[in-house]
Amino acid sequence: MCFGAEGISMRANTSSPRLGIETRSFRESSADGTPPPAPLNMPDQPLHRAAEPRRFASASGLGRRRAALAAFCVASTGAAVLAVATAMGRDGLAPLEVLHVGLILVLFGWMAFSFAASLGGLWLSGQDQTWERSAAELTLSRLTTRTALLAPIYHEDCGPFFARLAATRASLHALGLTPFFDIIVLSDSRHAEVLADERRGFAALQAGGAGPRVYYRHRPDNIDRKAGNIADWVRRHGGAYDHMVVLDADSLMEGKTLWRLAAAMERDPSLGLIQTAPTIIGRRTLFGRVEQFANNLYGPLAAWGVAWWSGADGNYWGHNAILRVAAFAEAGGLPHLKGRKPFGGHILSHDFVEAAFLRRAGWGVRLLPDLGGSFEESPPTLIDHLIRDRRWCQGNLQHLGVLGARGLHPISRLHLARGVLSYALSPLWIALVVTGALLSTPDADGGGYPLAGAAVLAVSLAFVLIPKLISYGLMLQQGEARRFGGAWRALAGVGVETLVSTLLAPVIMAVHTRALLAVALGRDSGWSAQQRGEGRLSWRAALSFHAPEMAIGAALGLLGPAMGAGLSPWLASVSACLCASPLLARWTASLSQGQALREAGLLLTPAETGRRRRASASPLRPAAPETVGAWPTNRPAVAETFALIPTIAVPTAAAPAQTA
């Protein structure tokens, strides 16, 4: 490897030591861009099988971390339950009081877990001798393995999709990594006009200059959706590669990040998967900007928290992650669950299960919480977010059929259970508000409940707000306030995000409850293309989608008077938010509202201010200086480059192909 003024030059490794296959044999493609065959056996795994010995050493102190997490959850939740039960139970607990105490037990415990994990993440991010730190600061050297970047596509807007791939390809080429990566588009689209657009976009990507080889493959039968698409590629072509990076249609990754991921996999042969923590970029609506701001500011601390308690027993989020192809072929084949849809059949939320199966086979599954250079987009509107959640809700509920699978690691079961509870708790939150309101009425014999309930509520709010304030404080400590528009504007952004999130929370919980009911009634979510375009929500669509929430809100508003008492403030707030759900959906879908906040300097993120955090920085440690030879300091970030080139030229059928 040599570094010069023009960047990095590297001589390609002409063979794979592991596979013994000449590079040329799998870099040639057919005339239509289809990747050459390189079959690899990937059997479907049985749901029940014995666990294999782990291939890695357990992190020092990981058991103590988990014990501390459990102790905090038990102690804090026990104190909350005891306080409320004692206040209400001087003369014994009535059935309504028993229900309310049970709800506090579950929901307070859920919040205590997340809060304690944030504190653990705060501690872990400041440690020097950790796997996460050493991987993020790994000295980059010449690669000896080959990696495929898999880009599944299903009825997407081809312009932004291929633009993101073009930016990633250019980034890899600038680092001299062209010989070690291939980009493979895996299409599951069904409509002829969409396929024609994809092929024109692919031709434009091919003609867009030097870089890793690109391939395009269309599956005639899209069996098992994205998971089936990836598995089919592994079985037909996976034998040519050591690793694969799975992308989503909205994924964007920097070349240096991909280099670090491949180098980390080379250094540690016990790893089956490394998951990055993607940063949301490119959002313009109010809803999108709120999500984007929260992800950029609070996300790193939350990701460190997950890494703190999961260690090498981590999870997979389905994209922006690198997997060892041989490990995935050996352990990642998914069975179909028994029974009919929506609980049976193909597993929609395949990623959690694939991670659990990899760990069962002894492979390490890791999260790199602060690597940087990994990006994605988020749904532009509340309704688009909830439509996606409907599919995720069904997929996560399918995990009920996997939780009892023999051989799974206990932490893998915890990941699966948390995925289920993320949706299953929604009706419990609504029930908590209703029972609390009924117990707080003047005629209710709640004893000292109002005071005890207020104390528990205050602690619950602290569990939510303190991690946000910690994230804000760490930003100030690192001198990074300008990345978010300045200290005061960033603090105002925290307030705006908290306000919008609070207003939308009852709506999201109600829609999740509706989704749970639909799944319980046997209604399948189907597979529709995800909406990524902005500025398309009409009043009619908002009213139609949120009509059930308006009805629920009206019913809750009538509940207090019907019970012979007025509305409590909390019940009134929930009722008002639900009745106003179409208005909230329209308001947060507004491009003009998002633009107004941006012009006011609120909800700004580093991709917008042009300042990027170095990959080696952590919440508690100052950023290490960039090594000039290994990473050109004057090179713009891929996210910034992509912001300047939002689309790739996709020619029409009558026009000649254009370069990106």
Side-chain angles (χ1 to χ4, degrees):
M1 186 191 323
C2 65
F3 302 98
E6 276 100 42
I8 302 172
S9 64
M10 238 181 240
R11 181 163 40 185
N13 181 28
T14 58
S15 65
S16 169
R18 181 179 67 81
L19 299 170
I21 301 174
E22 290 297 315
T23 302
R24 179 176 303 176
S25 69
F26 53 77
R27 288 184 62 79
E28 296 173 350
S29 63
S30 62
D32 63 355
T34 303
L40 186 63
N41 185 40
M42 181 179 175
D44 289 342
Q45 297 299 309
L47 192 59
H48 303 281
R49 54 166 284 190
E52 298 181 26
R54 69 183 182 202
R55 306 163 191 258
F56 53 89
S58 180
S60 175
L62 184 59
R64 291 192 296 272
R65 297 182 209 168
R66 293 169 178 170
L69 175 62
F72 179 86
C73 292
V74 170
S76 59
T77 304
V81 169
L82 181 63
V84 173
T86 301
M88 292 190 302
R90 294 169 183 170
D91 298 322
L93 293 176
L96 181 63
E97 294 170 333
V98 172
L99 174 61
H100 189 71
V101 170
L103 292 170
I104 290 176
L105 174 66
V106 175
L107 298 174
F108 194 93
W110 174 266
M111 299 178 72
F113 185 102
S114 299
F115 175 73
S118 295
L119 297 183
L122 178 65
W123 173 84
L124 182 65
S125 66
Q127 304 303 304
D128 290 317
Q129 303 301 319
T130 65
W131 180 91
E132 292 81 9
R133 182 61 53 216
S134 62
E137 297 179 351
L138 181 67
T139 300
L140 296 175
S141 59
R142 182 177 180 273
L143 296 176
T144 60
T145 53
R146 304 199 68 256
T147 301
L149 271 63
L150 305 184
I153 182 172
Y154 177 74
H155 293 170
E156 296 282 346
D157 185 347
C158 291
F161 174 81
F162 284 105
R164 285 183 277 267
L165 294 182
T168 298
R169 185 174 183 242
S171 178
L172 288 167
H173 183 67
L175 292 171
L177 297 173
T178 292
F180 305 101
F181 290 86
D182 287 344
I183 298 174
I184 303 165
V185 178
L186 301 177
S187 172
D188 258 342
S189 300
R190 314 310 304 153
H191 301 153
E193 62 274 16
V194 175
L195 292 173
D197 283 344
E198 290 177 1
R199 292 190 174 101
R200 287 192 291 271
F202 174 72
L205 179 63
Q206 279 185 310
R213 287 288 295 268
V214 292
Y215 301 102
Y216 175 89
R217 190 209 65 172
H218 174 252
R219 226 177 20 144
D221 298 312
N222 51 3
I223 299 171
D224 292 349
R225 307 184 185 185
K226 179 181 176 180
N229 201 357
I230 299 296
D232 184 72
W233 176 85
V234 170
R235 293 181 175 113
R236 295 175 184 271
H237 310 284
Y241 298 92
D242 300 273
H243 315 124
M244 61 182 185
V245 174
V246 179
L247 305 174
D248 250 356
D250 58 2
S251 295
L252 178 68
M253 297 189 74
E254 291 189 358
K256 187 183 179 185
T257 299
L258 294 167
W259 190 356
R260 285 195 182 280
L261 288 172
M265 295 293 277
E266 286 187 4
R267 187 183 68 166
D268 189 348
S270 71
L271 286 175
L273 185 151
I274 302 175
Q275 174 67 60
T276 67
T279 300
I280 296 176
I281 59 171
R283 297 294 80 188
R284 298 182 299 158
T285 64
L286 174 57
F287 178 82
R289 294 185 61 76
V290 165
E291 293 262 295
Q292 181 175 267
F293 178 82
N295 169 269
N296 277 258
L297 184 58
Y298 317 142
L301 181 63
W304 277 107
V306 174
W308 173 73
W309 61 264
S310 61
D313 310 314
N315 207 359
Y316 174 36
W317 301 337
H319 60 92
N320 292 49
I322 188 169
L323 298 91
R324 194 176 304 277
V325 174
F328 190 76
E330 169 198 331
L334 295 181
H336 280 205
L337 299 179
K338 294 181 179 179
R340 296 184 299 176
K341 295 180 180 180
F343 288 101
H346 164 61
I347 302 173
L348 296 182
S349 295
H350 55 90
D351 39 14
F352 283 37
V353 181
E354 288 162 346
F357 281 10
L358 282 169
R359 179 60 189 86
R360 182 172 67 177
W363 295 98
V365 178
R366 291 275 193 178
L367 169 64
L368 261 179
D370 202 27
L371 182 60
S374 176
F375 308 97
E376 65 173 337
E377 293 180 355
S378 62
T381 71
L382 173 63
I383 290 180
D384 293 320
H385 174 88
L386 293 171
I387 290 173
R388 184 187 68 177
D389 269 5
R390 169 64 179 86
R391 184 174 68 253
W392 287 4
C393 175
Q394 178 177 330
N396 284 17
L397 288 179
Q398 285 182 301
H399 294 167
L400 291 171
V402 183
L403 271 170
R406 187 163 60 93
L408 296 186
H409 191 276
I411 299 299
S412 296
R413 298 187 200 276
L414 179 59
H415 288 301
L416 293 168
R418 284 180 60 80
V420 173
L421 290 173
S422 63
Y423 293 97
L425 293 183
S426 290
L428 302 190
W429 285 111
I430 296 175
L432 182 70
V433 172
V434 172
T435 56
L438 294 177
L439 289 170
S440 301
T441 58
D443 296 334
D445 186 17
Y449 168 74
L451 181 60
V456 170
L457 175 62
V459 175
S460 301
L461 292 177
F463 282 172
V464 174
L465 294 177
I466 288 176
K468 296 184 180 185
L469 296 177
I470 290 174
S471 298
Y472 174 79
L474 293 173
M475 175 199 66
L476 297 180
Q477 183 189 41
Q478 292 299 312
E480 297 180 339
R482 287 189 298 172
R483 299 173 68 242
F484 293 88
W488 290 108
R489 287 190 175 93
L491 183 59
V494 172
V496 171
E497 181 276 328
T498 301
L499 173 63
V500 175
S501 299
T502 301
L503 292 174
L504 297 182
V507 181
I508 293 173
M509 292 175 189
V511 176
H512 284 178
T513 301
R514 181 153 54 101
L516 289 168
L517 181 60
V519 174
L521 294 175
R523 298 173 186 169
D524 183 35
S525 66
W527 190 22
S528 57
Q530 185 165 312
Q531 173 63 41
R532 305 187 197 275
E534 297 177 305
R536 300 181 182 179
L537 182 62
S538 66
W539 272 114
R540 180 177 181 180
L543 288 167
S544 174
F545 185 89
H546 285 298
E549 285 69 62
M550 296 174 68
I552 295 172
L556 291 178
L558 296 173
L559 179 64
M563 298 296 293
L567 276 178
S568 74
W570 291 106
L571 191 58
S573 300
V574 170
S575 174
C577 290
L578 292 176
C579 290
S581 53
L583 175 62
L584 292 173
R586 277 276 297 179
W587 174 55
T588 56
S590 169
L591 288 169
S592 61
Q593 294 292 335
Q595 181 62 25
L597 287 172
R598 177 171 181 171
E599 291 174 354
L602 299 178
L603 301 179
L604 293 179
T605 59
E608 297 170 314
T609 58
R611 296 178 174 89
R612 63 192 294 250
R613 186 184 189 182
R614 292 168 185 166
S616 57
S618 79
L620 291 182
R621 302 168 73 251
E626 295 281 9
T627 303
V628 175
W631 183 242
T633 57
N634 61 347
R635 176 194 161 279
V638 171
E640 296 157 15
T641 303
F642 178 62
L644 299 175
I645 310 173
T647 59
I648 187 172
V650 180
T652 62
Q658 303 175 41
T659 58

